[in-house]
Amino acid sequence: MDLVSNSRLERVLKSGRFAVTAELDAPDSANPDDVYKNALVLSEVCDAINATDAAGANCHMSSMGCCALLTRAGYEPILQVGCRDRNRIAIQGDLLGAAAMGVNTVLCITGDDVSNGDQPEAKRVFDFDSIQLLQVVRTMRDKGVLLSGRKLSTKPRFFIGAVENPFAPPYDWRPLRLAKKVQAGAQFIQTQYCFDMPRFKQFMQRVCDLGLDKQVYILAGVGPLRSFKGAEFMRDRVPGVWIPDELMHRMEKTPKNKQTAEGKKICIEMIQQVREIQGVAGVHVMAYRQEEMVADIIHQAGLLPRRPYAAG
Amino acid sequence: MSISSLKEARRAPGAEWLKNHPRFLEKAYLLSKSIIAKTYPWMQKVSPRLANRFMVRSEEVLKGWAFNCQMCGQCVLHSTGMTCPMNCPKNLRNGPCGGVRHNGNCEVVPDMPCVWVQAWQRSQQMTVYVNDIQVIQAPVNRSLQGTSSWANMLDGKDTQTPKGW
């Protein structure tokens, strides 16, 4: 196997196994135990844990902090690097620090705007965009230089990821934009929540027609809806999430005390459906504030047992 | 929240119409490029300082009216469907973020159409630069902010990238 990093996710994907990643709920706390508690419920059922970078522009413990704790305890974190909060100097420095701490996988994202978060008065940075960031990370790894051209004495060995949202306009550009990300260095992709299956199938069809499924591993984003109210909030308030009307009706029809179970059932159905789609190499489970449910979802979707961490 | 109480069509009459004719604009771009390349060296011979000031001012006024130009000093309009990417609140240069609303409007400014949705549609009407939207744009050189991209183009400054790019 031709590996560019020590990333467990890279090994899983390149060996042809169906990968599972999950998102860690970064705590509003300075206590490391809060990170470990949240990671524990995910670690047994997934191949790598995403440490979010102030998701939704809400301030939580940083991705760097979570990753530092997770690597210390032997977990396999994915460092999420957003362009919203840091300029190019900070980002490249953080990447070196992360590599030194044993982070093997990075995910390059643009980041939700500050206006969505708990501190909308903040200055937005966006010095890089996600594609420029991808290329800079790849250059650091492959050529061993910073953007300025200054040489690194040890190159960071990263498995590099990016995100894509097939559910946001302009729909016909999204597959080609994915191609641009691949060209800039993306090796795996985590998508936004897949609720609109026809749209996702259309997207994947085009991705396969372009031959991109051979160049990049695509992990479909999934997650349980907590309730009808929660679904409405996600559709209307969380940027880039689209939930089709049939699913909304299905949640609305369900009695209130059974909505969480219905949301979970929908999530499992989604996993089973995306597994059948050509070019899908795994799933990325985002269960915000419902992390305890992830193990059950992955189990019921038939994705267990996963190989223990030590076996890679 | 909105950026300005004046809709673009009122702030810059005719500009919206112009941008929706990208095929005309790409011809105009090619023409003005060759005119500037011929005249700018002459202007510089008269007075480099005045020549530069003339370029900055005319760019501010003309491109300001037509594209709401933000004077980044490294124009890529022909690669972005003649739609200025610096109008994107996130300053993205390589395409839309994942937050574009279902109706095609901006995540940050709900009343504004997404710059990149417009850029994509317009780029597809172009003939010469139709595929340039797929070219990866280098990180913005922030030190060129406020300078003339026309002058920078002739000096080759606008396409100079850091050594590690």
Side-chain angles (χ1 to χ4, degrees):
Chain A
M1 229 190 298
D2 205 10
L3 298 173
V4 296
S5 73
N6 296 324
S7 167
R8 176 189 159 84
L9 183 62
E10 182 182 13
R11 286 199 301 273
V12 169
L13 287 169
K14 288 196 174 164
S15 66
R17 277 177 280 158
F18 194 78
V20 177
T21 57
E23 212 160 84
L24 177 86
D25 179 20
D28 295 335
S29 156
N31 185 351
D33 290 340
D34 291 333
V35 175
Y36 291 134
K37 197 178 70 206
N38 294 345
L40 195 63
V41 292
L42 304 174
S43 64
E44 293 296 312
V45 293
C46 67
D47 301 309
I49 299 172
N50 278 56
T52 53
D53 186 11
N58 291 302
C59 185
H60 303 294
M61 186 189 286
S62 71
S63 184
M64 274 295 270
C66 291
C67 282
L69 292 167
L70 292 176
T71 53
R72 258 190 237 174
Y75 293 115
E76 182 75 27
I78 299 175
L79 178 79
Q80 291 198 183
V81 185
C83 300
R84 178 191 59 230
D85 305 321
R86 272 156 300 163
N87 71 3
R88 59 191 78 182
I89 300 172
I91 287 177
Q92 291 170 80
D94 275 356
L95 285 166
L96 292 177
M101 289 187 309
V103 173
N104 301 314
T105 318
V106 293
L107 186 75
C108 303
I109 55 179
T110 307
D112 295 327
D113 187 67
V114 295
S115 52
N116 292 300
D118 63 338
Q119 300 177 44
E121 313 85 359
K123 178 169 173 33
R124 45 176 87 88
V125 179
F126 297 109
D127 191 16
F128 280 154
D129 64 31
S130 57
I131 289 179
Q132 293 158 352
L133 174 60
L134 278 168
Q135 184 152 320
V136 167
V137 180
R138 188 185 57 188
T139 310
M140 285 171 76
R141 181 193 67 198
D142 293 348
K143 295 189 184 148
V145 292
L146 294 169
L147 180 59
S148 62
R150 216 143 44 77
K151 249 192 134 46
L152 302 166
S153 55
T154 301
K155 303 173 189 174
R157 297 181 67 224
F158 286 131
F159 186 49
I160 306 171
V163 295
E164 186 53 74
N165 185 357
F167 314 101
Y171 303 113
D172 46 342
W173 191 11
R174 293 285 169 183
L176 286 162
R177 181 169 146 73
L178 184 72
K180 217 171 163 179
K181 289 196 167 181
V182 173
Q183 199 196 334
Q187 296 172 290
F188 74 94
I189 299 289
Q190 292 176 329
T191 76
Q192 183 55 277
Y193 283 103
C194 291
F195 289 115
D196 190 347
M197 216 36 77
R199 172 82 68 199
F200 186 61
K201 282 184 182 153
Q202 219 176 353
F203 171 81
M204 286 307 298
Q205 183 61 50
R206 184 89 176 96
V207 164
C208 293
D209 291 347
L210 292 166
L212 292 171
D213 57 323
K214 304 281 183 291
Q215 299 169 51
V216 68
Y217 299 99
I218 295 171
L219 280 65
V222 292
L225 296 167
R226 192 204 290 269
S227 61
F228 174 65
K229 277 260 162 59
E232 260 186 333
F233 180 85
M234 267 174 80
R235 185 192 58 186
D236 300 335
R237 302 287 297 280
V238 180
V241 177
W242 180 249
I243 305 173
D245 292 341
E246 312 96 84
L247 272 188
M248 294 302 289
H249 291 321
R250 188 170 152 187
M251 287 301 283
E252 197 176 11
K253 275 196 320 222
T254 311
K256 265 208 173 124
N257 56 351
K258 290 190 180 142
Q259 283 180 350
T260 309
E262 189 67 14
K264 187 168 148 190
K265 205 172 138 209
I266 292 173
C267 180
I268 295 164
E269 286 169 18
M270 293 289 158
I271 295 178
Q272 285 161 344
Q273 285 184 39
V274 295
R275 273 192 89 172
E276 304 299 318
I277 300 174
Q278 194 203 338
V280 175
V283 285
H284 173 52
V285 187
M286 295 168 278
Y288 182 66
R289 298 273 151 92
Q290 300 189 86
E291 279 77 5
E292 70 292 342
M293 209 187 261
V294 173
D296 224 20
I297 289 171
I298 294 170
H299 172 63
Q300 288 187 29
L303 297 174
L304 290 179
R306 312 216 56 79
R307 289 222 187 158
Y309 260 43
Chain B
M1 190 182 84
S2 60
I3 279 179
S4 158
S5 57
L6 283 175
K7 283 261 158 61
E8 176 146 15
R10 275 169 64 199
R11 190 177 68 229
E16 209 54 32
W17 178 89
L18 193 65
K19 278 185 286 191
N20 286 330
H21 292 76
R23 215 175 294 180
F24 165 74
L25 280 173
E26 68 181 339
K27 300 269 153 52
Y29 166 72
L30 284 167
L31 182 70
S32 55
K33 197 169 151 182
S34 65
I35 292 173
I36 293 163
K38 283 192 189 100
T39 52
Y40 187 57
W42 285 100
M43 294 197 295
Q44 270 187 317
K45 270 182 195 162
V46 181
S47 162
R49 200 177 65 88
L50 281 179
N52 196 278
R53 221 160 92 181
F54 173 74
M55 293 296 247
V56 173
R57 285 284 171 270
S58 47
E59 209 162 326
E60 262 175 355
V61 172
L62 281 172
K63 277 164 73 176
W65 163 70
F67 306 108
N68 198 20
C69 170
Q70 304 292 307
M71 297 297 286
C72 70
Q74 47 219 295
C75 195
V76 287
L77 273 172
H78 59 282
S79 303
T80 57
M82 291 295 174
T83 308
C84 175
M86 302 315 271
N87 279 273
C88 163
K90 297 187 184 179
N91 276 194
L92 305 181
R93 303 270 283 192
N94 281 296
C97 68
V100 184
R101 286 163 198 270
H102 206 61
N103 61 3
N105 278 9
C106 174
E107 169 196 333
V108 185
V109 191
D111 295 336
M112 181 174 86
C114 167
V115 167
W116 286 102
V117 171
Q118 293 185 318
W120 171 249
Q121 287 163 354
R122 289 167 181 161
S123 75
Q124 293 312 291
Q125 298 168 29
M126 292 164 80
T127 49
V128 186
Y129 296 106
V130 60
N131 292 318
D132 270 40
I133 201 154
Q134 283 299 108
V135 175
I136 295 179
Q137 300 293 338
V140 179
N141 180 353
R142 310 280 168 184
S143 67
L144 293 180
Q145 177 68 41
T147 61
S148 160
S149 72
W150 289 336
N152 294 336
M153 177 181 73
L154 296 176
D155 298 340
K157 270 193 214 158
D158 63 336
T159 48
Q160 253 172 31
T161 52
K163 280 204 193 84
W165 177 248

